């Protein structure tokens, strides 16, 4: 019997089992902080900037998160997505700097400071309150910055942009001055969304619609003018206009009743009284008001009701009949209660008919005796809030016999986005951006068409919002923000809007921050020699309102995309949540179109909401929130990044324990793929040992072709920002093409072929090329893991120390050179393999074999199988294949090779012929006994 001069254990040492220090257990909680420290010490971000300097730029402009509270899953999701884009573009070869920013002004911070200061606030100056707000904002900038860095997001973290910085506040103020100078801004008395709890005006973007219960009432207004002028059939009748409203508290502000000029109205008599109701709503109204025997007296067009006069139910005031196309037949009576001081449409139609803007409700939402309209507000309403006023108004209407019916309805109603309480419409003097001034609306709509929207529905969404939005209310009655830089003459109240004067104030902001508005007098800010253009007065007072925070953040492109920051204008991408269509996307667009003539972003991408596993919004109070800090401590930031990559970010996305468990398994599969590759490259130098594609074995060239197609597809997915498709394609390739097929077939060749044999080096070349490509392909997504893998990877000369300095793989790197006919043959062989694996599994279940190497196959002759006959045992991972009359699995014959475990060793021999040849090539000779 021929033996080798070694024991069984020594013989096993000649097998090239995988060797790598790359750990199977990720231990990301320990690894990731080490890598972050390494990136900081090496100043990786600046290394990337230096390496990409001079290349074409790609700028994702960061939408500023609010500096209030810790980050949550939604903000983590948002920042990771942005990091995907920036790293992707960097690895595509662009110079893609990322300058993060924070929105630091606004009501939530001011409210927090109010709560912290309590009664102490009353003795503090406005500048002291602002200093407290600034300190609070900075605290959360620092906390959020720490947490965003922990996510693996690379950027200019040491020098972010802050809306509260001197430079940024100056930019905001300058934008307002330019808006004012160019005629986009005006001050006017008109109804705006108003929060009575925060006592401030709200922009459309600051209003959320939530379910709300309201009393709905049907109220009659006695016709004062001659009813016969409407229709002769009404002569001598007691006629009433009948309105329906869900805001009883606005009845004291009623000045008119609106009818649609083209609707047909009916005069309906019930119990001797006649009511004017839209013909299509008669039945619904009769049912609501419980009319027992309504009688039709006449019908007439709405235009007949123009200039009719009604008497207010309980005030010494007339209510005028007016015509308006805003009247609908969806609900109510077809006659719309009109209070120009409490509704946008009411205001517009009121102005068109010469009605005053009357609002007897103060900033706290309480009734007071206001000037502007006849009638004295009932004493029982004075000092009561509008919500307290609802039942009082209903009681008063009931007492005067004007209330015909009341119901409670649940409907969508505007709420303040900060305190989540219902808002009201209230007329106050505010500063507005006129949407139709200088064709701003039309120009903005044209700009929308030139933006690439992801998803594509974003274009229509933005178009509709801009097309229908009212003028933008940009003034707020608060302290923490950028003041509206306007002065008023103390003598005649004329505004001082001289651009030279206001530009001087902007310069002071740039030196001292906007706090200077509160520490210097008007005269100090204005400078000497300035007088009122109307009365020549020389004493002025400052505007007390501040700018809407959406104006602040909307000016970010003016502050950040500048030559000083080496960032070109416009940006290539804005990426935020869907709520930013009415927020940052829109305010940025309007400011840019007004001042620069086009959109500040070439493309816009929208992320969905983060939900729990059941599709519910996450809230701490509900106990269903996933806190990023807790998640990272348990699983690592890369698993959170993997989740972000695994979902279609344009849709609402879910996260639950079940989903996390699946992600853990997916991550383990990817990590195991890298570990297997690294383990089989321990003695491979890509410069010295690589085999040219044309000389590689066909199987290796086939898998390279598969990898080439993978890279081509993933590069296309990346271009479309379809990160979830990249993840899915790579995962499927790793799990199916590699683990289940190629690695399974290749294992014996890598383990048992001679160390430097052509066959082994061919396989290693394929493994290396695929591994090298996959590491870079996943680097934008799994930043930490890719960097870790990169540190263990044998790299060619000149390759960077960090994977984030590398470029994405090109498909051509993996070209195997197989023609389509040969590839088709291999696809055919893989189909046969699938059939064979099922046969082997059946044989295993029937206890005929244990491991596949215990099998010997007989297969029917086939030209393809005959051509590749020598490769079939390895392809099917069996000991032998032969042709026969039928496909069958048989027990393998022959001795078990102690080295490769195939049953192909000659009787009495320790190893098979293939292993004998490998050992000989390795310089290990037999020792004949």
């Amino acid at each position: 019997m021929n033996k080798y001069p070694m024991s069984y254990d020594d013989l096993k040492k000649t097998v090239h089992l995988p060797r790598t220090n790359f750990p199977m257990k990720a231990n990301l909680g320990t690894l990731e902080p080490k890598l972050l420290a390494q990136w900081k010490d090496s100043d990786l971000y600046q290394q990337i900037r230096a390496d990409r300097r001079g290349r074409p730029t790609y700028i994702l402009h960061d939408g500023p998160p609010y500096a209030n509270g810790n980050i949550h899953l939604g903000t983590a999701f948002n920042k990771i997505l942005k990091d995907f884009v920036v790293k992707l573009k960097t690895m595509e070869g662009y110079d893609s700097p990322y300058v993060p920013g924070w929105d630091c002004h606004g009501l939530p911070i001011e409210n927090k400071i109010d709560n912290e200061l309590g009664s102490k606030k009353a003795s503090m100056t406005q500048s002291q309150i602002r200093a407290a707000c600034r300190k609070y904002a900075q605290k959360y900038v620092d906390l959020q910055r720490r947490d965003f860095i922990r996510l693996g997001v690379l950027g200019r973290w040491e020098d972010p942009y802050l809306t509260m910085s001197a430079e940024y506040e100056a930019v905001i103020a300058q934008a307002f001055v330019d808006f004012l100078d160019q005629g986009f801004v005006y001050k006017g008395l008109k109804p705006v969304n108003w929060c009575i709890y925060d006592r401030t005006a709200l922009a459309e973007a600051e209003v959320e619609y939530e379910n709300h219960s309201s009393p709905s009432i049907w109220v009659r207004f006695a016709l004062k003018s001659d009813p016969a002028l409407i229709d002769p059939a009404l002569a001598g009748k007691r006629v009433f206009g009948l309105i329906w409203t869900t805001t009883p508290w606005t009845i004291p502000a009623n000045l008119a009743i609106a009818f649609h000029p083209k609707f047909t109205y009916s005069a309906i008599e019930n119990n001797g009284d006649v009511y004017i109701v839209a013909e299509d709503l008669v039945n619904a109204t009769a049912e609501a008001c419980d009319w027992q025997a309504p009688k039709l007296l006449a019908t007439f067009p709405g235009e007949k009701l123009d200039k009719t006069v009604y008497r207010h139910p309980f005030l010494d005031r007339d209510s005028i009949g007016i015509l308006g196309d805003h009247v609908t037949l969806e609900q109510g009576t077809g006659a719309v209660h009109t209070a120009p001081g409490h509704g946008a449409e009411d205001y517009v139609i009121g102005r068109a008919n010469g009605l005053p803007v009357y609002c007897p409700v103060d900033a706290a939402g309480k009734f007071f005796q206001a000037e502007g309209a006849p009638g004295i507000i009932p004493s029982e309403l004075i000092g009561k809030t509008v919500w307290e006023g609802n039942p009082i108004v209903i009681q008063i209407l009931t007492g005067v016999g004007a209330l015909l019916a009341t119901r409670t309805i649940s409907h969508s109603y505007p709420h303040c986005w900060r305190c989540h309480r219902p808002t009201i419409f209230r007329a106050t003097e505010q500063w507005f951006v006129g949407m139709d001034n200088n064709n701003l609306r039309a120009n903005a709509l044209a700009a929308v068409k030139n933006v690439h929207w992801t998803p594509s529905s974003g274009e229509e969404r933005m178009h509709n919002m801009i097309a229908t939005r009212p003028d933008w209310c940009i003034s707020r009655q608060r302290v923490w923000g950028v003041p509206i830089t306007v002065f008023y003459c103390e003598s005649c109240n004329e505004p001082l809007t001289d651009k030279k004067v206001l530009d001087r104030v902007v310069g002071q902001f740039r030196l001292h921050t906007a706090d200077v508005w509160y520490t210097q007098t008007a005269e100090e800010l204005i400078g000497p020699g300035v007088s009122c253009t109307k009365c020549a007065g020389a004493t002025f007072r400052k505007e007390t309102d501040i700018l809407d925070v959406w104006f602040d953040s909307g000016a970010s492109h003016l502050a950040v995309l500048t030559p000083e920051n080496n960032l070109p204008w416009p940006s290539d991408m804005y990426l935020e949540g869907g709520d930013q269509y009415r927020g940052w996307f829109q305010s940025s667009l309007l400011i840019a179109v007004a001042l620069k003539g086009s959109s500040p972003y070439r493309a816009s991408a929208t992320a969905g909401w983060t939900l729990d596993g059941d599709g519910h919004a996450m809230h701490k109070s509900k106990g269903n929130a996933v806190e990023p800090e807790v998640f990272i401590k348990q699983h690592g930031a890369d698993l959170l990044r993997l989740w972000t990559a695994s979902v279609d970010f344009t849709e609402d996305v879910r996260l639950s324990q079940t989903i996390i468990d699946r992600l853990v398994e997916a991550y383990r599969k990817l990590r195991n793929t890298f570990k297997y590759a690294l383990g089989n490259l321990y003695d491979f130098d890509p410069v010295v040992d690589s085999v040219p594609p044309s000389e590689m074995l066909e199987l290796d060239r086939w898998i390279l072709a598969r990898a080439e197609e993978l890279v081509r597809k993933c590069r296309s997915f990346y271009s479309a920002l379809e990160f979830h498709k990249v993840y899915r394609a790579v995962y499927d390739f790793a799990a199916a093409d590699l683990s289940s097929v190629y690695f399974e077939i290749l294992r014996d060749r890598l383990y048992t072929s001679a160390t430097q044999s052509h066959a082994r080096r061919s396989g290693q070349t394929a493994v290396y090329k695929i591994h090298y490509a996959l590491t870079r392909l996943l680097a934008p997504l799994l930043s930490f893991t890719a960097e870790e893998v990169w540190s263990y990877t044998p790299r060619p000369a000149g390759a960077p120390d960090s994977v984030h300095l590398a470029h994405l793989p090109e498909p051509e790197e993996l070209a195997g050179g197989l023609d389509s006919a040969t590839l088709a043959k291999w696809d055919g062989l893989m189909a046969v393999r699938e059939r064979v694996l099922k046969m082997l599994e059946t044989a295993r279940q029937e206890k005929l074999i244990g491991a596949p190497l215990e099998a010997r196959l007989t297969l029917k002759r086939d030209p393809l199988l005959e051509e590749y006959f020598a490769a079939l045992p390895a392809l099917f991972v069996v000991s032998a294949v032969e042709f026969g009359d039928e496909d069958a699995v048989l027990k393998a014959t022959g001795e078990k090779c102690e080295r490769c475990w195939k049953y192909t060793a000659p009787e009495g021999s320790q190893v098979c012929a293939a292993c004998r040849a490998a050992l000989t090539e390795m310089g290990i000779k037999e020792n004949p006994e």
Side-chain angles (χ1 to χ4, degrees):
M1 180 177 179
N2 293 327
K3 287 280 188 179
Y4 281 88
M6 59 182 68
S7 66
Y8 175 70
D9 289 339
D10 288 337
L11 189 61
K12 284 200 303 182
K13 292 177 182 177
T14 68
V15 177
H16 308 295
L17 295 176
R19 278 188 264 166
T20 179
N21 291 324
F22 180 78
M24 184 59 249
K25 183 174 175 58
N27 200 12
L28 293 174
T30 301
L31 168 73
E32 291 171 348
K34 289 181 179 178
L35 287 176
L36 288 172
Q38 177 180 310
W39 293 344
K40 182 179 180 180
D41 291 344
S42 65
D43 204 355
L44 176 59
Y45 178 74
Q46 289 304 328
Q47 283 191 61
I48 295 171
R49 298 281 63 76
D51 185 78
R52 296 300 193 267
R53 188 172 293 121
R55 301 298 302 272
T57 59
Y58 185 96
I59 308 301
L60 182 149
H61 179 41
D62 187 34
Y66 201 66
N68 178 29
N70 295 317
I71 71 170
H72 52 75
L73 187 64
T75 46
F77 180 63
N78 174 284
K79 269 292 186 288
I80 290 171
L81 282 172
K82 292 174 181 176
D83 192 54
F84 284 177
V85 174
V86 172
K87 286 193 171 106
L88 163 65
K89 293 303 176 180
T90 297
M91 295 189 72
E92 284 181 343
Y94 290 94
D95 182 6
S96 186
Y98 176 62
V99 179
W102 274 270
D103 194 352
C104 305
H105 295 137
L107 185 60
I109 290 176
E110 196 169 342
N111 281 345
K112 290 285 187 181
I113 294 303
D114 285 353
N115 293 335
E116 289 183 5
L117 295 175
S119 60
K120 182 181 176 183
K121 181 183 175 184
S123 62
M124 295 174 66
T125 65
Q126 288 180 318
S127 60
Q128 289 173 328
I129 294 170
R130 286 174 60 87
C133 291
R134 189 179 296 278
K135 182 178 179 182
Y136 180 94
Q138 187 62 55
K139 169 187 172 182
Y140 282 101
V141 166
D142 293 340
L143 288 174
Q144 291 184 14
R145 170 166 45 198
R146 175 202 66 190
D147 293 342
F148 288 144
I149 291 173
R150 181 64 184 85
L151 295 172
V153 180
L154 295 177
R156 199 180 78 182
W157 294 110
E158 75 286 353
D159 184 24
Y161 77 85
L162 306 178
T163 62
M164 65 181 181
S165 71
E167 176 61 30
Y168 197 114
E169 288 183 334
V171 169
I172 297 168
Q174 187 67 64
F176 171 78
V177 170
D178 291 344
F179 261 67
L180 187 64
D181 181 62
Q182 296 176 32
F184 289 104
V185 172
Y186 68 93
K187 190 172 188 179
L189 175 66
K190 61 192 297 186
V192 295
N193 260 303
W194 184 273
C195 179
I196 67 174
Y197 306 97
D198 294 321
R199 301 191 183 191
T200 187
L202 300 172
E204 287 294 307
E206 296 172 315
V207 174
E208 295 176 343
Y209 285 84
E210 300 177 15
N211 206 42
H212 182 71
S213 292
S214 299
S216 64
I217 57 175
W218 287 256
V219 181
R220 68 183 192 176
F221 286 62
L223 179 67
K224 182 178 174 181
S225 57
D226 185 359
L229 295 177
I230 300 173
D231 192 280
L234 304 183
K237 298 287 187 179
R238 277 169 38 99
V239 181
F240 298 85
L242 182 59
I243 65 94
W244 171 84
T245 181
T246 60
T247 53
W249 64 268
T250 61
I251 293 293
N254 174 276
L255 298 179
I257 299 175
F259 304 92
H260 198 290
K262 296 183 180 179
F263 289 170
T264 298
Y265 286 82
S266 299
I268 303 296
E269 186 173 30
N270 184 71
N271 291 334
D273 295 330
V274 179
Y275 300 96
I276 298 172
V277 181
E279 183 179 48
D280 290 354
L281 294 171
V282 167
N283 291 337
T285 302
E287 181 180 352
C289 297
D290 196 25
W291 291 341
Q292 298 302 311
K295 178 182 176 183
L296 176 65
L297 297 186
T299 59
F300 38 84
E303 61 187 6
K304 296 284 288 183
L305 300 169
D306 190 27
K307 303 298 188 295
T308 49
V309 181
Y310 303 84
R311 197 63 181 163
H312 192 284
F314 57 82
L315 296 177
D316 187 14
R317 178 192 307 157
D318 289 338
S319 187
I320 309 303
I322 59 178
L323 304 179
D325 292 336
H326 68 290
V327 180
T328 72
L329 297 174
E330 292 178 3
Q331 53 190 347
T333 64
V336 175
H337 150 56
T338 302
H342 291 297
E345 291 177 326
D346 299 39
Y347 169 80
V348 172
I349 196 70
R351 288 291 298 271
N353 286 273
L355 299 176
V357 182
Y358 173 65
C359 176
V361 175
D362 67 15
K366 295 180 178 180
F367 287 96
F368 72 105
Q369 296 292 355
E371 298 180 355
I376 298 175
I377 302 296
S379 60
E380 55 262 56
L381 281 172
I382 300 300
K384 297 294 192 298
T385 69
V386 295
W387 312 122
E388 294 169 333
N390 273 335
I392 296 174
V393 170
I394 291 173
Q395 184 179 13
I396 294 172
L397 291 170
T398 303
V400 299
L403 184 70
L404 268 62
T406 181
R407 302 279 190 279
T408 298
I409 66 167
S410 181
H411 60 141
S412 180
Y413 188 86
H415 285 64
C416 173
W417 74 327
R418 293 303 187 189
C419 70
H420 300 290
R421 294 176 178 177
T423 64
I424 65 172
F425 262 92
R426 172 177 176 267
T428 61
E429 270 204 321
Q430 302 288 340
W431 287 91
F432 296 90
V433 170
M435 285 300 298
D436 297 304
N437 292 13
N438 300 332
N439 296 316
L440 176 58
R441 189 189 309 273
N443 293 337
L445 291 174
V448 168
K449 295 179 180 179
N450 295 324
V451 175
H452 181 272
W453 300 92
T454 302
S456 59
S457 58
E459 179 177 345
E460 182 180 6
R461 188 175 177 184
M462 181 63 87
H463 180 280
N464 292 342
M465 285 185 173
I466 292 176
T468 60
R469 72 160 294 155
D471 287 352
W472 178 9
C473 177
I474 59 171
S475 49
R476 296 293 180 273
Q477 292 64 52
R478 306 302 296 184
V479 173
W480 180 228
V482 175
I484 291 176
T485 50
V486 171
F487 301 90
Y488 300 94
C489 176
E490 288 281 26
S491 300
C492 68
N493 211 38
E494 180 74 6
L496 172 62
T497 57
D498 185 312
K499 190 172 187 300
K500 289 183 179 178
V501 172
L502 301 186
D503 284 347
R504 182 179 188 277
V505 175
V506 171
Q508 293 299 301
F509 284 12
R510 185 165 277 112
L511 292 174
H512 307 292
T513 79
D515 292 351
V516 73
W517 187 262
Y518 301 90
T519 58
Q520 292 189 10
T521 65
E523 286 69 26
E524 288 173 326
L525 289 168
I526 292 170
V530 177
S531 59
C532 175
T533 56
K534 184 176 181 181
C535 73
T539 305
F540 298 89
R541 72 178 188 277
K542 295 173 284 187
E543 170 66 72
T544 58
D545 287 353
I546 64 170
L547 285 163
D548 174 16
V549 291
W550 289 113
F551 197 93
D552 287 16
S553 60
S556 63
H557 56 90
L558 300 175
V560 180
L561 306 180
T562 65
E564 292 78 13
N565 284 317
N566 293 314
L567 298 176
W569 194 101
S571 71
D572 293 284
M573 169 67 69
Y574 275 29
L575 193 164
E576 297 297 334
D579 55 336
Q580 298 308 316
Y581 282 97
R582 61 186 185 131
W584 189 57
F585 289 167
Q586 189 173 150
S587 65
S588 299
L589 183 78
L590 294 177
I591 290 174
V593 168
L595 299 183
K596 283 183 168 285
S598 61
S599 170
Y601 44 89
R602 295 187 177 96
S604 168
T606 308
W609 298 105
T610 52
L611 310 174
D612 68 12
D614 296 321
H616 300 137
M618 291 185 177
H619 296 287
K620 282 186 178 180
S621 59
K622 291 183 178 180
N624 66 344
V626 176
E627 298 298 328
E629 184 177 5
V630 175
F631 184 102
I632 290 170
K633 284 181 179 178
Q634 293 177 341
H635 305 289
D638 253 4
L639 202 72
L640 195 58
R641 296 179 69 96
L642 185 64
W643 167 70
T644 304
S646 71
V647 296
D648 181 352
F649 75 83
T650 64
E651 304 286 344
D652 290 345
V653 297
R654 300 186 182 194
L655 184 60
S656 66
Q657 189 57 51
T658 300
I659 293 171
I660 292 171
D661 291 342
R662 288 203 296 263
L663 287 168
V664 168
E665 286 304 311
Y667 178 82
R668 184 177 290 120
K669 170 58 71 175
L670 292 172
R671 190 173 183 88
N672 194 44
T673 300
F674 285 126
K675 181 176 175 62
Y676 184 85
L678 288 170
N680 284 286
L681 295 173
Y682 69 90
D683 65 341
F684 182 80
D685 182 335
V687 176
V688 176
D689 299 320
S690 291
V691 176
S694 61
E695 298 176 16
M696 293 171 67
L697 273 62
E698 274 192 17
L699 172 67
D700 303 329
R701 297 168 71 184
W702 170 80
I703 195 62
L704 285 181
R706 300 282 290 178
E708 178 186 11
E709 181 59 23
L710 170 74
V711 170
R712 183 172 286 107
K713 287 194 302 183
C714 287
R715 291 295 298 267
S716 176
F717 295 151
Y718 266 140
S719 294
L721 303 184
E722 293 174 324
F723 304 116
H724 62 296
K725 292 185 178 179
V726 175
Y727 157 76
R728 189 76 251 178
V730 172
Y731 176 83
D732 288 345
F733 181 78
D737 292 62
L738 293 181
S739 294
S740 297
V741 179
Y742 183 64
F743 287 170
E744 188 72 18
I745 299 169
L746 183 64
R747 182 181 294 112
D748 179 69
R749 179 158 35 116
L750 291 177
Y751 291 6
T752 66
S753 295
T755 306
Q756 299 191 41
S757 65
H758 176 268
R760 185 164 179 270
R761 292 307 193 201
S762 174
Q764 286 181 306
T765 301
V767 170
Y768 170 75
K769 286 190 172 187
I770 293 168
H771 170 81
Y772 193 56
L774 290 184
T775 306
R776 290 173 291 150
L777 198 60
L778 284 178
L781 311 181
L782 295 180
S783 293
F784 293 107
T785 302
E787 187 77 310
E788 180 191 15
V789 171
W790 188 259
S791 70
Y792 286 91
T793 299
R795 300 189 297 273
D801 291 333
S802 170
V803 70
H804 301 299
L805 284 160
H807 289 75
L808 287 176
E810 299 292 341
E812 294 73 23
E813 293 178 32
L814 295 145
L818 289 183
D819 57 38
S820 57
T822 305
L823 288 173
K825 290 178 182 178
W826 276 96
D827 290 341
L829 288 170
M830 291 303 163
V832 175
R833 185 175 187 274
E834 284 294 311
R835 177 163 52 88
V836 166
L837 292 181
K838 293 177 182 178
M839 292 166 55
L840 291 170
E841 178 59 23
T842 299
R844 189 190 64 78
Q845 291 178 359
E846 293 175 352
K847 310 292 187 185
L848 176 63
I849 61 171
L853 287 176
E854 295 177 13
R856 172 170 57 93
L857 289 177
T858 62
L859 298 174
K860 294 179 184 178
R861 285 188 177 276
D862 173 276
L864 178 62
L865 298 181
E866 288 182 334
E867 182 179 354
Y868 287 90
F869 180 73
L872 296 183
L875 184 64
F876 303 142
V877 195
V878 296
S879 287
V881 176
E882 56 193 38
F883 292 123
D885 295 331
E886 60 181 5
D887 294 345
V889 178
L890 305 173
K891 190 76 173 176
T893 58
E895 296 286 338
K896 181 179 180 180
C897 175
E898 293 182 10
R899 186 168 179 272
C900 70
W901 293 6
K902 296 191 194 82
Y903 288 82
T904 54
E907 185 177 349
S909 179
Q910 188 180 13
V911 297
C912 66
C915 284
R916 183 179 295 112
L919 290 168
T920 299
E921 188 174 341
M922 293 163 64
I924 302 171
K925 299 181 178 180
E926 289 180 296
N927 182 27
E929 293 184 357

